[in-house]
Each structure stands twice: as C-alpha cells, then as structure tokens.
Amino acid sequence: MPNDLVEELKALTPFKALDEENIAKLASSIELRRFQPGTYVFRQGDPALGHVFIVMSGLAEVTLTNDRGIETVVGFRRRGDLFGETVIWSAKHYSGSVRAKDELECLAIPVGTFQKFINNFPVVAAYFSSVMVERMRSLYDEIIAEQSYVAYGGVEKSLFRRRVADLMSAPVITCRMSDKVSNIAQVMADKNISSLIVIDETGYPVGVITEKDLVAKMVAKSADPSKTTAEEIMNKNLITIPVNAYLDEALMQVIKHGVKHLAATDRGMLAGILSLVDLVKARSTGTLSVVHRIESENTLEGLRETGKEVDIFLNALVAEKAPTRQLLAIMAELHDRLVRKVIRLAEEEMVLEGYGKPPVPYCFVNMGSAGRKEQTLRTDQDNAIIYAKPEPERETAVSGYFLTLGGKIVDNLEACGFAKCKGDVMASNPKWCRPLDDWKETLRRWIARAEPEDIRMLTIFLDFRPVYGSHELAGDLWEVIFAAFNEAREVSHMLANDDVQYRVPLSLLGGFITEKSGPYKDQINLKNSVCVHIVNCIRVFAMKHGIRETSTLGRLKELVEQKVISVDDGEFIETAFETVMMFRIRENVRKRQQGLPADNYINPHALSKREQAVLKDALSVITRLQKLTSSNFTEQWLNYLRI
C-alpha cells in the first residue's frame, strides 16, 4: 500500500492518535475503492460486504426506502466520515443504502481489522460510538427546511391530534432479562431491527437494548456475549406511555428524558414501541433535531444558530395549535437545555483561562418567566447564582470566581439571543451572585421588612428555579423562605395588595379598557395588565402553603390538590391563564415574523367576536381570582391590624 495512504490515515479521525506501527498495519489491510456518480456502494437489504468504509474524497448519500418504495436522502458522508458501520455487530444486511453523489473514493477496512482496533484503542471505540449516534441524527436533518409557520399551517392532522397507537410499531420484539447477548444480537440481525424491549417475568417492560448498547457495553469493552445477559447491558431508563396518549405527550417525554424509544403500554402491559425515528418521520416533528443539536454543539456560534431553530420550533407549535400547557413545557425544556449547554461552555472557558473548576458547589437559577417555565420567545434574562459557603480565608477568591463565571454565562446567553436584563437582575451582579448563607439572610430580611423595594425583589426572586448545578442549594433556600413567611404574616398581605390594587382591563359594563393614546392606542398589554395578576395571586397562595413548584399551572394544580382553591375555581383559573397565554404567544410570534418587536400588546377589537368573548371571560375570571386573593390575605391582614 502506498506510503501516502499512511499519511492520509494519520490525518483521519479516529486513527490520528495511533502510532506509526499500528497505522502501517492498518494501511496494509485496506482496499481503495472508487464509485462513479449515481452508483451504489450497497443497497438497503443487501447482505453485508464485510467492510467498513471511510470517505477519502467525493460525497456519498445515505438513503432510506419506505414500504412504498420511495427513496429519501437522509444524510451525507464527506471526507473522513464513516459508513457501513452496521456490520460491526452481527448485522447481516444493510438497513439503508449509500450512493455516490459524485465521484467517490473510499477506504474499505475489513470488519475483523476494524474490530481489533475498537477492542485495543479506546479512541477508536469512542469514535465508533459517536458515529452510531450521528447515524440516527441524520434522519432529522432531512426536514429542517420545512420548518416555517406557513408550512405547518397546512398539516392535515397535527402532532397534537394523533395518538401513540397511530404510530407505534407492534408487535414488539422482546427478550427476557436472563437472555444472553449473543442470542439478542442474532435476533436483532435476523429481524433487521435496531432495538428491542426487555421484559420481566410478568411481561412488564423494564429496559431497552439498542445497537448503541451493544457497541458501548460489549464491543468496546470486549465482553463475552455468550456469558453476558440482557439485564447486565440494558438501559433501565425506559419511559412508558399509554397507547391512547397524544403524540405531543410522547414528544415531550423524548425531549425531557433524552431517550430514543418509548414503550407503549395498554393497562400496564407492553403493546408497542415508539421510536425517535417514528416521531421524526411524523411530519410535524422535524425540529426535534434541535434537541440533539444543542447537546452536540461545542461552540458559542453553533449554539447561537441552534437558538434560532428553537424559535422556528415555537412557530411550528403555534401553527399546529399546540395546547398552551404542552407548548410551555416543550419550550421550557428546550430553553433549559440551551442554558445548561451555555453554562458548561462557560465553565470550560474558566478552566482554559486558568480559573479552574468551580471551587465549591453552586446552583444557577432562572427567575421570572423562565423560572416559571413560561418563557416562549427568548426574552430578557433574570437569573442568579447560589453557591456553597466557602472557608473564611477563601471567601474573596470564591466570590470573584463566581462573579467571573456569572459574567461569562450572562454574556454568552446574550450572544444566544437572551437579552440582558435592563434592571441588572443577573448572575453577573454581586447582588444576584451570593453564597447560600448570604442568600438566606437576604431573603429573611426582605420578608421580615417587606418594604416596597423588598416586595419588588421578592416578586422577582420567588419564581426561582434551579437549572444547573447543585439543586440541593435551592432546596435549602426554599425551607428558609417558607419559615420566614410563616413568621411574617404581613408579607403575604403586602404581596397580595401589590397586585389587587391594579384591576384587569375590563370595564363594569364588560368592555375592554385599552390605552387611550400613544403608540399602543386601543391596545392591551397581555403581560403587564393581564397575565401578571394570575401569576402574582397564585404565587402568594403558593408561598403561604409551602409549594416549591414555580410554574403558575403547577402551583395551581397543587393548590387545588391541597383544597386551598376549589376544583371549580381551579378549572376557571387554568382555562383563563391558558387562554390569555395563547393570545399572547400567538400575537408575539406573528409580530416577530413581521419584523416587529414582541411587545405583548394586542388590539382586542381586531379579534373575532368569538375570540373577544373568550378573552372577556378570561378577564372576568382574573377579577374573581383577585377577589379570592383579597379575601384570603388583604382583608385578614386588615382585621389583624384592628386587634
């Protein structure tokens, strides 16, 4: 084999870390193969060729053919990319096709040779595992271009109207926990499947085994498949979902738990399997790839671009008429993932710049709409850092470390589309970056004193939610807050009075009260004049009754369960909140698409008669909630003063 091939291999991942001797051994077993444009290296369903291929020059298309014979390009392989890797673990037939897009030159490595390198060199094994993940990710890229408000408007049957049973695969190929991996691999190869469900003695699903598990836990570790059982290698993070659940619920589970398979159950028994690929192929879920892009991005520039895809996802959800609750949950999860990745990059920057790793445990928390999981568009930041108390001699150094880290996080979030808070309520500000003991004392002081400025700070902070780091620190702080509220009854009055003194924009005769002049003449601010009342009132109840949940709907649910708020009132308030949020989100998205600021304003008279009636009903419910809040807090406090 020519010496220049050795040099080429040295430049390729994963072989560039190998020494000269092993590079030479590898080169001696490789074949160089060329394919003309339009020709296939192999076709879907063909017997395995016994080689793994690496692209040296040209472009290869990865395609899938469905049951109707329609072939779709789902990915590309360029110089240095690997393909044909399914033959590494017992696969006898190819699950997809690879076709030369233009003149293609590949290295063909015998499977036996490649397996030896996987077994002997961790860097090769790690690379191989990443390729397996990327193989699935490529399926998502094919429909990214479809993501637009207009495109989704034409969906015949959206994600939020289809059920798991419509899309799941059944019957499911299963195995027992005691089955040997060698037999499991053979079944997967014979059935041409990429995963199977592990069940217990009763038939209940307890785990899943995928091709990735076989590679990571068997091939990469040189384990003996004839002696290893399913229970030893299965992924126990198996999420189940009822067969009658809607697909939006399945989508939320996939995003939240980061899984690629869901076990569909009927009355507790396994009925089918729903895969990430199934959801991707369902027309409405192309932007699911944004989850994987966030996790795979390692640069700020990459995250900035991915953030734009998050906005596109919001457009799609609005156009599909996604229920408000599901829309908020999905967007909160995507934003949280983006924020966590930004923080990890900031931590890496600190290490590279010589600051080192965090000196003590810390927790990054979101506040405001992000803390309540009600942020849809990427709006202003409201965040803080809570860190464990350092040794006295290290207080200054530790404080400096976290202020520097907070500054990096805030700047990087701004680069990713989260504007800086005009009031400087951010982790880069010493007031919002403190050790736990300092936070405890500060919260006690705000609650006990309850001056107007303290009330303002509390309305900001009391929606705090841990996003990254040591959640225990946030938990400790909640205990202090609830204890302080029990000791200072007047603070609940002050918080309640701060809201009920302002009424909703609805007249006694049932008409809308709009701005009388200025740029927002004849409009209503749905955030500051409407939503804020539900948020504030429910927060006061939550503080009194020790509820840590920060989302408005979550707090309301717990208040109803504790019988603090009646079931009927709870349903009214929930409907009102979802209605107003729906109008607010829809209008903001529409304005953004027109290049206008998402200012939360709406002209109620521009709505249809039916929409106006729905909005008026929501405002009436909010008025009722304010009266309920006043009777539970404000009037009780006035009676307390008379004693």
Side-chain angles (χ1 to χ4, degrees), residues 164-165 168-169 172 197 199 203-206 238-245 262-274:
V164 169
M168 71 182 190
S169 298
V172 186
I197 299 294
I199 58 176
Y204 186 80
V206 294
L238 178 64
I239 307 301
T240 60
I241 190 166
V243 294
N244 61 348
L262 298 174
T265 59
D266 185 6
R267 288 171 292 184
M269 299 303 293
L270 183 64
I273 185 170
L274 186 68

Side-chain angles (χ1 to χ4, degrees), residues 229-269:
T229 65
E231 185 176 11
E232 294 177 74
I233 71 163
M234 70 180 185
N235 184 343
K236 297 179 182 179
N237 184 29
L238 178 64
I239 307 301
T240 60
I241 190 166
V243 294
N244 61 348
Y246 286 107
L247 290 182
D248 68 293
E249 297 175 51
L251 173 63
M252 187 62 224
Q253 294 300 318
V254 166
I255 293 175
K256 182 176 181 179
H257 297 285
V259 296
K260 297 181 175 64
H261 300 85
L262 298 174
T265 59
D266 185 6
R267 288 171 292 184
M269 299 303 293

Side-chain angles (χ1 to χ4, degrees), residues 187-254:
V187 170
M188 292 173 68
D190 291 344
K191 300 292 185 180
N192 194 26
I193 56 176
S194 61
S195 65
L196 52 70
I197 299 294
V198 184
I199 58 176
D200 61 17
E201 295 77 7
T202 66
Y204 186 80
V206 294
V208 61
I209 294 177
T210 66
E211 290 177 334
K212 180 180 177 181
D213 294 318
L214 294 178
V215 173
K217 300 175 183 178
M218 296 299 299
V219 178
K221 296 182 179 179
S222 302
D224 187 344
S226 65
K227 297 180 180 179
T228 307
T229 65
E231 185 176 11
E232 294 177 74
I233 71 163
M234 70 180 185
N235 184 343
K236 297 179 182 179
N237 184 29
L238 178 64
I239 307 301
T240 60
I241 190 166
V243 294
N244 61 348
Y246 286 107
L247 290 182
D248 68 293
E249 297 175 51
L251 173 63
M252 187 62 224
Q253 294 300 318
V254 166

Side-chain angles (χ1 to χ4, degrees), residues 170-187:
V172 186
I173 306 299
T174 64
C175 70
R176 299 285 181 177
M177 291 191 290
S178 59
D179 288 351
K180 296 296 187 290
V181 171
S182 55
N183 295 331
I184 293 170
Q186 189 63 53
V187 170

Side-chain angles (χ1 to χ4, degrees), residues 150-368:
V150 175
Y152 273 83
V155 175
E156 294 181 2
K157 192 176 184 183
S158 83
L159 188 68
F160 304 92
R161 299 295 178 266
R162 300 175 66 187
R163 297 187 186 275
V164 169
D166 297 334
L167 207 62
M168 71 182 190
S169 298
V172 186
I173 306 299
T174 64
C175 70
R176 299 285 181 177
M177 291 191 290
S178 59
D179 288 351
K180 296 296 187 290
V181 171
S182 55
N183 295 331
I184 293 170
Q186 189 63 53
V187 170
M188 292 173 68
D190 291 344
K191 300 292 185 180
N192 194 26
I193 56 176
S194 61
S195 65
L196 52 70
I197 299 294
V198 184
I199 58 176
D200 61 17
E201 295 77 7
T202 66
Y204 186 80
V206 294
V208 61
I209 294 177
T210 66
E211 290 177 334
K212 180 180 177 181
D213 294 318
L214 294 178
V215 173
K217 300 175 183 178
M218 296 299 299
V219 178
K221 296 182 179 179
S222 302
D224 187 344
S226 65
K227 297 180 180 179
T228 307
T229 65
E231 185 176 11
E232 294 177 74
I233 71 163
M234 70 180 185
N235 184 343
K236 297 179 182 179
N237 184 29
L238 178 64
I239 307 301
T240 60
I241 190 166
V243 294
N244 61 348
Y246 286 107
L247 290 182
D248 68 293
E249 297 175 51
L251 173 63
M252 187 62 224
Q253 294 300 318
V254 166
I255 293 175
K256 182 176 181 179
H257 297 285
V259 296
K260 297 181 175 64
H261 300 85
L262 298 174
T265 59
D266 185 6
R267 288 171 292 184
M269 299 303 293
L270 183 64
I273 185 170
L274 186 68
S275 72
L276 188 57
V277 176
D278 294 328
L279 285 170
V280 170
K281 289 180 179 178
R283 177 181 171 91
S284 311
T285 58
T287 317
L288 188 60
S289 64
V290 71
V291 176
H292 301 275
R293 292 186 184 278
I294 291 172
E295 296 304 322
S296 63
E297 288 295 349
N298 292 308
T299 66
L300 191 60
E301 179 61 33
L303 286 178
R304 183 185 297 117
E305 293 303 311
T306 303
K308 296 176 183 177
E309 292 184 28
V310 174
D311 293 341
I312 293 173
F313 199 0
L314 173 62
N315 297 346
L317 292 173
V318 171
E320 282 205 349
K321 300 180 181 179
T324 301
R325 182 186 296 272
Q326 283 85 345
L327 187 152
L328 293 176
I330 291 172
M331 294 307 298
E333 183 66 29
L334 292 178
H335 285 149
D336 282 358
R337 285 175 178 265
L338 189 58
V339 170
R340 285 195 290 266
K341 196 55 183 281
V342 165
I343 295 173
R344 286 195 288 268
L345 290 180
E347 287 183 339
E348 292 173 6
E349 285 183 45
M350 294 290 284
V351 173
L352 290 174
E353 294 176 11
Y355 293 99
K357 295 181 179 181
V360 295
Y362 79 100
C363 183
F364 183 90
V365 301
N366 268 334
M367 300 175 291

Side-chain angles (χ1 to χ4, degrees), residues 2-20:
N3 289 332
D4 58 353
L5 180 56
V6 172
E7 296 304 316
E8 291 279 7
L9 287 173
K10 288 180 180 179
L12 292 176
T13 303
F15 306 120
K16 55 187 173 184
L18 301 180
D19 56 33
E20 290 281 346

Side-chain angles (χ1 to χ4, degrees), residues 376-530:
T376 50
L377 293 168
R378 287 170 293 155
T379 52
D380 294 359
Q381 299 180 48
D382 284 308
N383 49 55
I385 285 178
I386 307 166
Y387 58 89
K389 181 180 180 180
E391 296 296 326
E393 65 273 13
R394 301 177 63 206
E395 287 181 356
T396 301
V398 171
S399 173
Y401 179 94
F402 284 111
L403 278 174
T404 302
L405 175 62
K408 289 182 179 295
I409 295 171
V410 167
D411 288 343
N412 291 351
L413 285 174
E414 181 186 31
C416 289
F418 297 92
K420 288 186 176 180
C421 174
K422 295 178 181 178
D424 202 19
V425 181
M426 297 178 292
S428 55
N429 183 342
K431 293 181 179 179
W432 299 96
C433 181
R434 306 170 183 251
L436 178 61
D437 287 354
D438 197 353
W439 272 118
K440 289 180 178 180
E441 181 58 35
T442 298
L443 266 296
R444 289 192 186 100
R445 184 172 64 253
W446 287 347
I447 293 170
R449 195 169 57 186
E451 296 290 340
E453 179 63 13
D454 300 322
I455 295 298
R456 190 176 77 85
M457 293 295 100
L458 285 172
T459 57
I460 294 172
F461 193 83
L462 291 179
D463 294 328
F464 80 99
R465 178 174 60 86
V467 176
Y468 182 89
S470 175
H471 289 209
E472 292 79 7
L473 294 170
D476 289 347
L477 201 53
W478 273 121
E479 294 303 319
V480 170
I481 291 171
F482 294 141
F485 263 84
N486 287 332
E487 293 173 5
R489 287 188 288 172
E490 64 272 23
V491 70
S492 294
H493 157 74
M494 298 300 293
L495 284 170
N497 188 65
D498 192 54
D499 182 85
V500 299
Q501 63 179 309
Y502 302 103
R503 299 303 181 185
V504 298
L506 192 66
S507 70
L508 294 176
L509 298 178
F512 293 113
I513 301 175
T514 60
E515 298 282 342
K516 302 302 181 185
S517 60
Y520 298 110
K521 186 176 184 295
D522 298 326
Q523 297 185 58
I524 292 173
N525 189 308
L526 292 178
K527 176 183 177 182
N528 297 334
S529 298
V530 182

